[in-house]
Amino acid sequence: MVDINELRGISSSEDKKKKELSEKEKKKQSVIEKGIERARPDLQGPEKEKAKEVLSRVIDGENLPLDKNIEDFAFIVADSLQTIENEVAPQNEYFNWMEDTHDIIRDMNDGNITDADIDRREGFLEHLTSRESEMRVYMALYAASKSPKAQERLEFLQMKLARLQQLRSAILAATKSKEEAEADRRAKEEEKRIAMEYQRMIEEQERKASLYSDIEYKASLMIAQTLIAMAAAEELDKANQLRKQRYQDYLARRAEDLRFLNRIRPDNSLANSYAKHVEMMNLVKVANTSQNHGHFTEEEQIRRNVCGAVLEYRRRDKEVPEKILYKLGVKSFVPDYSMSEEILQRNIETQSKADVIKRINELRGRQTNSFAPKSINRENIQSFDMNRYIALRTRGGNSVA
């Protein structure tokens, strides 16, 4: 039977997921085969197929009884794969990424976007996505080995992948998509300011190892402010609709990257960075929430203005009253296991790990239901220094144009 959605050019989300999984599997098998051919060119026929099967299961995280031979083989293949793209030193590739990212952001915001600029942007993003898939395979192979050298390589790759994700996010946030650029090749002043912040972030990376810097956070806040300003507009033209979608995709993608980083490199500073990013996304969501299909009530307009004020305060390193964040419902829930032992040592009675996490988040001022907008009344809002916010807006200026 013909799929009507297919005729319309629309695929179901399940089909899309299957396609993505199939592409990832093909990529994984291609990387494995390339690594085996380089590390053990003597393996042929059934022996080679058996080696591919074992490594594939190792990468998928199956609970295999790994003996020393398999661990050593996984390490050798991973090492051979690393040298394919980086014949001199793996660090060199990262510095090339930085240079390319810097040039792409500059050329896409110089007021004259050419076809060559667009093609370079699209090709580089495709390259980074491909390299991410490959690096995840290397990381899984190194993780299978218990040798100190393998763990050292794994830690390096984790850092390198984090930088790749950060640079890719900078391009997605600071440059027009192909569709946007083809529709309008001029960069708005606001877009140029955001691009300059991401350029500063790249320059900062050359001086210190920052996986999520204060500059990146404040640039993201500018993007969130733009999205809230767009929510106030009665109607957006096509150019702003495309920009809005790009900014939303960027925030969601960066959140996914930070969540992944927290999973592979548990760290308090990264957990806090993720919490700040999620709070920012929640503010945008709350500001855009309307019960009447985009027609905001007076209370919803006030709530949107307060969300904008919180973002402005965050951008200027000003304190925001906790009760405002609770009333808005934007506090993020990020379990912090690092405090579990400290909490338990204080003789706080708990019955389960979930209780411990709940207590930790209570102490940290977090709440679980962070995405559901809460109603707020005028009395709550009056306690927030709205006059100061208006003064800041007047001096700083934020617009959709």
Side-chain angles (χ1 to χ4, degrees), residues 202-226:
I202 296 169
E203 291 169 5
E204 180 190 58
Q205 283 186 333
E206 294 177 356
R207 296 188 297 272
K208 68 176 187 177
S210 56
L211 297 183
Y212 189 78
S213 68
D214 188 57
I215 295 176
E216 181 181 4
Y217 173 57
K218 290 187 176 179
S220 298
L221 286 172
M222 292 170 67
I223 287 174
Q225 286 178 310
T226 301

Side-chain angles (χ1 to χ4, degrees), residues 73-267:
F73 184 52
F75 178 83
I76 292 169
V77 171
D79 251 19
S80 69
L81 284 165
Q82 277 237 79
T83 59
I84 292 175
E85 299 290 338
N86 317 289
E87 292 293 348
V88 181
Q91 293 91 336
N92 288 357
E93 184 182 33
Y94 167 66
F95 291 113
N96 290 335
W97 290 343
M98 287 181 65
E99 186 177 342
D100 287 340
T101 301
H102 190 284
D103 291 348
I104 288 169
I105 293 177
R106 180 199 63 210
D107 294 342
M108 291 289 289
N109 287 280
D110 62 2
N112 181 31
I113 302 175
T114 65
D115 289 341
D117 294 336
I118 296 172
D119 290 342
R120 185 180 182 187
R121 176 192 188 271
E122 298 303 304
F124 186 60
L125 287 174
E126 187 177 334
H127 168 71
L128 290 183
T129 298
S130 177
R131 288 295 289 133
E132 179 179 19
S133 298
E134 292 170 354
M135 287 167 64
R136 290 196 186 210
V137 172
Y138 310 163
M139 288 163 60
L141 292 173
Y142 281 131
S145 174
K146 297 181 177 63
S147 73
K149 188 173 286 189
Q151 294 307 305
E152 183 181 318
R153 299 272 208 284
L154 177 60
E155 287 181 13
F156 168 75
L157 279 173
Q158 288 172 342
M159 291 289 289
K160 187 176 175 182
L161 180 57
R163 303 288 180 76
L164 179 155
Q165 292 173 334
Q166 192 175 42
L167 292 173
R168 178 179 58 200
S169 293
I171 293 175
L172 293 173
T175 63
K176 291 178 182 289
S177 66
K178 181 178 181 179
E179 189 178 3
E180 285 180 275
E182 288 176 344
D184 184 1
R185 299 190 180 236
R186 297 164 300 173
K188 301 177 187 295
E189 288 305 313
E190 183 181 23
E191 291 177 290
K192 290 179 181 178
R193 287 197 298 272
I194 291 172
M196 286 176 61
E197 289 301 296
Y198 281 100
Q199 295 281 47
R200 283 181 60 214
M201 182 195 78
I202 296 169
E203 291 169 5
E204 180 190 58
Q205 283 186 333
E206 294 177 356
R207 296 188 297 272
K208 68 176 187 177
S210 56
L211 297 183
Y212 189 78
S213 68
D214 188 57
I215 295 176
E216 181 181 4
Y217 173 57
K218 290 187 176 179
S220 298
L221 286 172
M222 292 170 67
I223 287 174
Q225 286 178 310
T226 301
L227 288 172
I228 289 181
M230 286 177 168
E234 291 185 6
E235 188 175 351
L236 296 175
D237 58 22
K238 184 179 179 182
N240 275 315
Q241 287 174 6
L242 290 171
R243 185 157 65 111
K244 178 182 178 182
Q245 186 60 55
R246 171 163 58 91
Y247 285 168
Q248 289 173 332
D249 291 345
Y250 156 74
L251 290 178
R253 181 64 175 267
R254 196 66 186 121
E256 184 59 38
D257 288 344
L258 289 170
R259 183 163 50 230
F260 173 73
L261 276 179
N262 272 285
R263 192 166 65 246
I264 64 172
R265 292 181 66 87
D267 177 85

Side-chain angles (χ1 to χ4, degrees), residues 266-269 271-272 334-344 353 356-357 360 364 366:
D267 177 85
N268 279 340
S269 63
N272 289 333
V334 183
D336 187 346
Y337 296 96
S338 65
M339 286 184 63
S340 301
E341 186 176 349
E342 178 186 347
I343 296 297
L344 290 174
K353 191 172 185 177
V356 175
I357 295 170
I360 290 168
R364 286 287 179 92
R366 297 171 179 149

Side-chain angles (χ1 to χ4, degrees), residues 385-400:
D385 193 349
M386 186 59 73
N387 289 330
R388 176 169 174 74
Y389 165 61
I390 292 171
L392 289 173
R393 291 276 292 194
T394 303
R395 290 201 299 271
N398 285 288
S399 65
V400 181

